[in-house]
Amino acid sequence: MEPVRSPRNQRVAAAVRLRRARERKARGLTLLEGPNLLEAAVHRAASLEVVFALEDDEHTAGLVATADLELVTVTREVLERIAPSQHPRGPVAIMRIPPDRQIEHRNALVLYGVGDPGNAGTLIRSAAAFGFDVLFGQGSADPWNPKVLRSGAGAHFSVSIETGAADPADLHSRGYTTVASIVSGTTPVSQIDTSASVAVYVGEEARGLPAEIVEACDGTVTIPMDSALESLNASVAGSILMYELSTRADSDTPAPG
C-alpha cells in the first residue's frame, strides 16, 4: 500500500489536531510517540486507535501486526507533521486516554502546581521505579499530554494515575499520612513514619506549595542539602523523596519467619 503523502489527508489532519489540549480533552484521545513508548502501550494492552509509521519501519509493522492494530504508513513529511516533537523517530499512535485509577493502598506522590511536562513525566517514571502511585492536583500538567508521556517513557502504564483536587483532608480520610515537601526548617525525610501509606506533596519549583496546603498536611519534610543551594528541581526532589521513603518502608518490613 502506498504511504500517505499529503498532510491534508483527513486522518492525518485529525491526528495533528490532537497536539492541542482542547482537542485531546474533547475527543478523549492523545498521541504516543516513539518505538519504546508504543511497545509499552501494546504490552500493557492500552487502547490504541491507529499507528502511523514510515514505510520502511519494519519493527513497528511487526509489532502492529502481532497486536492486530491498524497501521497507516506515511512519508517523513507527514510523520513530522503529526508528531508532537520536532525531530520524530516515529512511530506515532493515537491512544484512547484511560480513565483515572484512584490511588490507594500504597505510597503516592501528589503533584501540586507542577506544570512542566518534562518534570511531570520524569516524576511518573520515578514513581513507577519506587512503587508509588501519582495524583495530579491543581495547576499540574495534563498527565496524558504527549510530552508528559514521552518523558514518562512507558511508566504511565505501571502506576495508578488520578487527577483531582488533591485535598490533604480527603487523602487523610483514605488512610494516607500527608506530607508536604518544603525547602528547609523541618523534618528530614529519614524521620518520616512509613508504617502507614504516605502521600508526599511536591509543588511548583519557583514558589513551592501554597501555605494552605502545607498547613493542611499532617507533616512536612525537607531534603537536607548544602546551604548554598536554594532548592532542587521538582523532579529531582520528588524522586529523592520517593527513593528515601521506599527504602525506609522496605527496612521497616518485618523479616519472614
Side-chain angles (χ1 to χ4, degrees), residues 9-148:
N9 174 279
Q10 187 175 0
R11 301 191 73 181
V12 170
V16 171
R17 289 196 295 272
L18 290 173
R19 294 168 61 172
R20 301 197 294 262
R22 182 180 299 177
E23 187 78 8
R24 293 195 298 272
K25 184 176 181 180
R27 293 167 60 190
L29 301 170
T30 191
L31 297 172
L32 298 177
E33 180 189 340
N36 295 335
L37 192 50
L38 178 62
E39 284 190 20
V42 169
H43 292 158
R44 292 289 181 165
S47 180
L48 298 172
E49 304 272 308
V50 62
V51 178
F52 298 92
L54 298 175
E55 191 175 20
D56 61 355
D57 188 346
E58 296 180 1
H59 176 77
T60 295
L63 179 66
V64 166
T66 301
D68 195 25
L69 298 170
E70 182 182 7
L71 176 66
V72 175
T73 57
V74 297
T75 63
R76 168 65 63 181
E77 178 188 5
V78 170
L79 184 71
E80 291 179 350
R81 177 69 173 156
I82 297 170
S85 67
Q86 289 186 335
H87 304 290
R89 292 177 57 192
V92 179
I94 295 179
M95 183 186 79
R96 184 156 297 281
I97 296 172
D100 272 12
R101 293 173 57 190
Q102 189 177 67
I103 60 171
E104 56 184 353
H105 303 314
R106 66 178 188 171
N107 290 338
L109 182 73
V110 183
L111 280 59
Y112 203 97
V114 180
D116 180 80
N119 281 339
T122 298
L123 285 167
I124 292 175
R125 191 173 183 178
S126 294
F130 303 129
F132 278 62
D133 290 327
V134 186
L135 194 161
F136 277 70
Q138 181 176 325
S140 292
D142 170 12
W144 302 104
N145 177 320
K147 293 180 181 179
V148 178

Side-chain angles (χ1 to χ4, degrees), residues 44 103-104 106-111 118-136 143 148 151-162 176 198-200 202 234-247 250:
R44 292 289 181 165
I103 60 171
E104 56 184 353
R106 66 178 188 171
N107 290 338
L109 182 73
V110 183
L111 280 59
N119 281 339
T122 298
L123 285 167
I124 292 175
R125 191 173 183 178
S126 294
F130 303 129
F132 278 62
D133 290 327
V134 186
L135 194 161
F136 277 70
V148 178
S151 295
H156 284 69
F157 308 111
S158 301
V159 302
S160 291
I161 297 176
E162 179 180 347
Y176 282 96
V198 178
V200 182
V202 172
S235 61
V236 172
S239 298
I240 290 172
L241 289 169
M242 287 188 283
Y243 169 75
E244 288 288 343
L245 288 169
S246 68
T247 56
D250 290 342

